[in-house]
Amino acid sequence: MPTEPTRAGAPPRFRPAAFFAALFVAAAAVAPASAAEKIVFGNVTTFSLSQAPIVVAEEMGYFDAEGLDVERIKLEGSAALIPQIAAGRVQIGYPNPDILIISRQPGRDHLPIKFIYNATRESAWEIVVPEASPIKAVADLKGTKLGVGALTWGNIPITKAILKNAGLTAGTDVELLPVGTGAPAFRALTSDQVAALNLFDVQHALLEQSGVAIRRVPLEQKFLDLFSNGFVAHEDLIANKPEAIKGFGRAMAKATVVCEARPDACVRMFWKAYPEQKPTQGTEAEQVANGVKAMRARFDKWVAFPEGERRYGEFPEQGWRDFVEVLHSVGQISTDKIDIASLYTGAFVADYNDFDAEAVRAAAMKLP
């Protein structure tokens, strides 16, 4: 304890300032070199097995290894998420591309957001009807109600484009009715509140597993080929904290390897984080098998790479041009002269892929 010198024979005198200064130095010596970077991750709906890899990235310690503290939050659709990212309240999100493309039209305010990682490499969106429904094609939806998750969801522009391509106008020929996800959406279909559902792949897989026989209404290939949700960040985060972007993407790439190698372990880790989503019927083996089937309805699109190529997070430039062309061809945007480079960055793809995939795969195979 720091003391001041005293006259001979007198007890040493306590020096508070020196004591607390020494205490501060000692505490600093044992404190971590730097605090973890806080990342609020925004999803556009309730977390489901379609987001299993982000749970795996946390459970496997990949975010920790990158110095990241990731908090997951749920919002209602891309239109609700993007303003939160623009305002800096959410650092990374998982929206559809449609809204950002629409915002890049001439005369629109510039949203300071870019896509940073191509996650869902094919379209995740479907239109399904009960097996016995007379609806066989999109055009047959005329005069019906189409159930959507919410009118703020990012797929709504493409849904309108799909309808227009079939000669229908949303709101006039077909009513878009918000039904949410899960049980409320399923009841809306089975009780004839809506004639069809326009949700994403995992939701429809779960509907089938609940015992409801459904059919997928055929969509034109140009819509099926569009990539879907990816990761976005504020332009300031991209410019000022590139290591956080690199680390997040690399952690997600590793989690993708794990889920491909051991989808059963991936499902179990997701249920550990969200136990309310684990089925209550069937044996453990049956539950896991069904969980894997539901997860792969989305996950297979995460690994839909061109033959012989595998670069996690990479966007094909032509994919963006195709997206713009589809939105323009059906009148969702006024021009096809959109600055593609303003929509995404590929600057971090090499960093996302800078890890030993075989070592990650080997570790995954040892999971219980």
Side-chain angles (χ1 to χ4, degrees), residues 127-164:
I127 296 176
V128 304
V129 296
E131 182 64 42
S133 170
I135 295 171
K136 306 295 183 185
V138 174
D140 297 334
L141 290 168
K142 185 172 184 178
T144 70
K145 295 179 180 179
L146 176 62
V148 298
L151 295 178
T152 54
W153 277 23
N155 69 305
I156 297 299
I158 287 295
T159 295
K160 292 179 178 178
I162 290 170
L163 294 174
K164 185 167 184 178

Coordinates of all heavy atoms in Angstrom, one line a residue, residues 127-164:
I127 N -44.6 -19.5 -53.8 CA -46.1 -19.4 -53.7 C -46.6 -20.8 -53.6 O -46.4 -21.6 -54.5 CB -46.7 -18.6 -54.9 CG1 -46.2 -17.2 -54.9 CG2 -48.3 -18.7 -54.8 CD1 -46.8 -16.4 -56.1
V128 N -47.3 -21.1 -52.5 CA -47.9 -22.4 -52.3 C -49.4 -22.4 -52.1 O -49.9 -21.4 -51.6 CB -47.2 -23.2 -51.1 CG1 -45.7 -23.2 -51.3 CG2 -47.5 -22.5 -49.8
V129 N -50.0 -23.5 -52.5 CA -51.5 -23.6 -52.3 C -51.7 -25.0 -51.7 O -50.9 -25.9 -51.8 CB -52.2 -23.5 -53.7 CG1 -52.0 -22.1 -54.2 CG2 -51.7 -24.5 -54.7
P130 N -52.9 -25.2 -51.1 CA -53.3 -26.6 -50.7 C -53.3 -27.5 -51.9 O -53.6 -27.1 -53.0 CB -54.7 -26.4 -50.1 CG -54.8 -25.0 -49.8 CD -53.9 -24.2 -50.8
E131 N -52.9 -28.8 -51.7 CA -52.8 -29.8 -52.7 C -54.1 -29.8 -53.6 O -54.0 -30.0 -54.8 CB -52.6 -31.2 -52.1 CG -52.4 -32.3 -53.1 CD -51.2 -32.1 -54.0 OE1 -50.1 -31.7 -53.5 OE2 -51.3 -32.3 -55.2
A132 N -55.3 -29.7 -53.0 CA -56.5 -29.8 -53.7 C -57.0 -28.5 -54.4 O -58.0 -28.4 -55.0 CB -57.6 -30.3 -52.8
S133 N -56.2 -27.4 -54.3 CA -56.6 -26.1 -54.8 C -56.7 -26.2 -56.3 O -55.9 -26.8 -57.0 CB -55.5 -25.1 -54.4 OG -55.8 -23.9 -55.1
P134 N -57.6 -25.4 -56.9 CA -57.7 -25.3 -58.3 C -56.7 -24.4 -59.0 O -56.5 -24.4 -60.2 CB -59.1 -24.7 -58.5 CG -59.4 -24.0 -57.3 CD -58.7 -24.7 -56.2
I135 N -55.9 -23.7 -58.1 CA -54.9 -22.8 -58.6 C -53.7 -23.6 -59.1 O -53.1 -24.4 -58.4 CB -54.5 -21.8 -57.5 CG1 -55.7 -20.9 -57.2 CG2 -53.3 -21.0 -58.0 CD1 -55.4 -20.0 -55.9
K136 N -53.4 -23.5 -60.4 CA -52.3 -24.2 -61.0 C -51.2 -23.3 -61.5 O -50.1 -23.7 -61.7 CB -52.8 -25.0 -62.2 CG -54.0 -26.0 -61.9 CD -53.6 -27.1 -61.0 CE -54.8 -28.0 -60.8 NZ -54.5 -29.1 -59.7
A137 N -51.5 -22.0 -61.7 CA -50.6 -21.0 -62.2 C -50.8 -19.7 -61.5 O -51.8 -19.5 -60.9 CB -50.7 -20.9 -63.7
V138 N -49.8 -18.8 -61.6 CA -49.9 -17.5 -61.0 C -51.2 -16.8 -61.5 O -51.9 -16.1 -60.7 CB -48.7 -16.7 -61.3 CG1 -48.8 -15.3 -60.7 CG2 -47.4 -17.3 -60.6
A139 N -51.5 -16.9 -62.8 CA -52.6 -16.2 -63.3 C -53.9 -16.6 -62.6 O -54.9 -15.8 -62.6 CB -52.7 -16.4 -64.8
D140 N -54.0 -17.8 -62.1 CA -55.2 -18.3 -61.4 C -55.4 -17.7 -60.1 O -56.5 -17.9 -59.5 CB -55.1 -19.8 -61.2 CG -55.0 -20.6 -62.5 OD1 -55.5 -20.1 -63.5 OD2 -54.4 -21.7 -62.5
L141 N -54.5 -16.8 -59.6 CA -54.7 -16.1 -58.3 C -55.7 -14.9 -58.5 O -56.0 -14.3 -57.5 CB -53.3 -15.6 -57.8 CG -52.4 -16.7 -57.3 CD1 -51.0 -16.1 -57.1 CD2 -52.9 -17.3 -56.0
K142 N -56.1 -14.6 -59.7 CA -57.0 -13.5 -59.9 C -58.2 -13.6 -59.0 O -58.9 -14.6 -59.0 CB -57.3 -13.3 -61.3 CG -58.2 -12.1 -61.6 CD -58.4 -11.9 -63.1 CE -59.1 -10.6 -63.4 NZ -59.3 -10.3 -64.8
G143 N -58.5 -12.5 -58.3 CA -59.7 -12.5 -57.4 C -59.5 -13.2 -56.1 O -60.5 -13.4 -55.4
T144 N -58.3 -13.5 -55.7 CA -58.1 -14.2 -54.5 C -57.2 -13.3 -53.5 O -56.8 -12.2 -53.9 CB -57.3 -15.5 -54.7 OG1 -56.0 -15.2 -55.1 CG2 -58.0 -16.4 -55.7
K145 N -57.0 -13.9 -52.3 CA -56.1 -13.2 -51.3 C -54.9 -14.1 -51.2 O -54.9 -15.3 -51.1 CB -56.8 -13.2 -50.0 CG -58.0 -12.2 -49.9 CD -58.7 -12.2 -48.5 CE -59.9 -11.3 -48.5 NZ -60.5 -11.3 -47.2
L146 N -53.7 -13.4 -51.3 CA -52.4 -14.0 -51.2 C -51.8 -13.7 -49.9 O -51.6 -12.5 -49.6 CB -51.5 -13.6 -52.4 CG -50.1 -14.1 -52.4 CD1 -50.1 -15.6 -52.5 CD2 -49.3 -13.5 -53.6
G147 N -51.5 -14.7 -49.1 CA -50.9 -14.4 -47.7 C -49.4 -14.1 -47.8 O -48.7 -14.9 -48.4
V148 N -49.0 -13.0 -47.3 CA -47.6 -12.6 -47.2 C -47.2 -12.4 -45.7 O -48.1 -12.2 -44.9 CB -47.3 -11.3 -48.0 CG1 -47.6 -11.6 -49.5 CG2 -48.1 -10.1 -47.5
G149 N -45.9 -12.5 -45.5 CA -45.5 -12.3 -44.1 C -45.9 -11.0 -43.5 O -46.5 -10.9 -42.5
A150 N -45.6 -9.9 -44.2 CA -45.9 -8.5 -43.9 C -45.7 -7.7 -45.1 O -44.9 -8.0 -46.0 CB -45.1 -8.0 -42.7
L151 N -46.4 -6.6 -45.2 CA -46.3 -5.7 -46.4 C -44.9 -5.0 -46.3 O -44.5 -4.4 -47.4 CB -47.4 -4.7 -46.4 CG -48.8 -5.3 -46.6 CD1 -49.9 -4.2 -46.6 CD2 -48.9 -6.1 -47.9
T152 N -44.2 -5.1 -45.2 CA -42.8 -4.5 -45.2 C -41.7 -5.5 -45.6 O -40.6 -5.1 -45.6 CB -42.6 -4.0 -43.7 OG1 -42.8 -5.1 -42.8 CG2 -43.4 -2.8 -43.4
W153 N -42.1 -6.7 -45.9 CA -41.1 -7.7 -46.2 C -40.4 -7.3 -47.5 O -41.1 -6.8 -48.5 CB -41.7 -9.1 -46.3 CG -41.8 -9.7 -45.0 CD1 -41.9 -9.1 -43.7 CD2 -42.0 -11.1 -44.7 NE1 -42.0 -10.1 -42.8 CE2 -42.1 -11.3 -43.3 CE3 -42.0 -12.3 -45.5 CZ2 -42.2 -12.6 -42.7 CZ3 -42.1 -13.5 -45.0 CH2 -42.2 -13.7 -43.6
G154 N -39.2 -7.6 -47.7 CA -38.4 -7.2 -48.8 C -38.8 -8.0 -50.1 O -38.4 -7.5 -51.2
N155 N -39.5 -9.1 -50.0 CA -39.9 -9.8 -51.3 C -41.1 -9.2 -51.9 O -41.4 -9.6 -53.1 CB -40.2 -11.2 -50.9 CG -41.4 -11.4 -50.1 OD1 -41.6 -10.8 -49.1 ND2 -42.4 -12.2 -50.6
I156 N -41.8 -8.2 -51.3 CA -43.0 -7.7 -51.9 C -42.8 -7.1 -53.3 O -43.7 -7.4 -54.1 CB -43.6 -6.7 -50.9 CG1 -44.0 -7.4 -49.6 CG2 -44.9 -6.0 -51.5 CD1 -45.0 -8.5 -49.7
P157 N -41.8 -6.3 -53.5 CA -41.6 -5.9 -54.9 C -41.5 -7.0 -56.0 O -42.1 -6.9 -57.0 CB -40.3 -5.1 -54.9 CG -40.2 -4.6 -53.5 CD -40.8 -5.7 -52.6
I158 N -40.8 -8.1 -55.6 CA -40.7 -9.2 -56.6 C -42.1 -9.9 -56.7 O -42.5 -10.4 -57.7 CB -39.6 -10.1 -56.2 CG1 -38.2 -9.5 -56.5 CG2 -39.7 -11.5 -56.9 CD1 -38.0 -9.3 -58.0
T159 N -42.8 -10.0 -55.5 CA -44.1 -10.6 -55.6 C -45.0 -9.8 -56.5 O -45.7 -10.4 -57.4 CB -44.7 -10.7 -54.2 OG1 -44.0 -11.5 -53.4 CG2 -46.2 -11.2 -54.2
K160 N -45.0 -8.5 -56.4 CA -45.7 -7.7 -57.4 C -45.3 -7.9 -58.8 O -46.1 -7.9 -59.7 CB -45.6 -6.2 -57.0 CG -46.3 -5.9 -55.6 CD -46.1 -4.4 -55.3 CE -46.8 -4.0 -54.0 NZ -46.6 -2.6 -53.6
A161 N -44.0 -8.1 -59.0 CA -43.5 -8.3 -60.3 C -43.9 -9.6 -60.9 O -44.3 -9.8 -62.0 CB -41.9 -8.3 -60.3
I162 N -44.0 -10.7 -60.0 CA -44.5 -12.0 -60.4 C -45.9 -11.9 -60.9 O -46.3 -12.5 -61.9 CB -44.3 -13.0 -59.3 CG1 -42.8 -13.3 -59.1 CG2 -45.1 -14.3 -59.6 CD1 -42.5 -14.1 -57.8
L163 N -46.7 -11.2 -60.1 CA -48.1 -11.0 -60.4 C -48.3 -10.2 -61.7 O -49.1 -10.6 -62.6 CB -48.9 -10.3 -59.3 CG -49.0 -11.1 -58.0 CD1 -49.6 -10.2 -56.9 CD2 -49.8 -12.3 -58.2
K164 N -47.5 -9.1 -61.9 CA -47.7 -8.3 -63.1 C -47.2 -9.1 -64.3 O -47.8 -9.0 -65.4 CB -46.8 -7.1 -63.0 CG -47.0 -6.1 -64.2 CD -46.4 -4.7 -63.9 CE -46.7 -3.8 -65.1 NZ -46.2 -2.5 -64.9

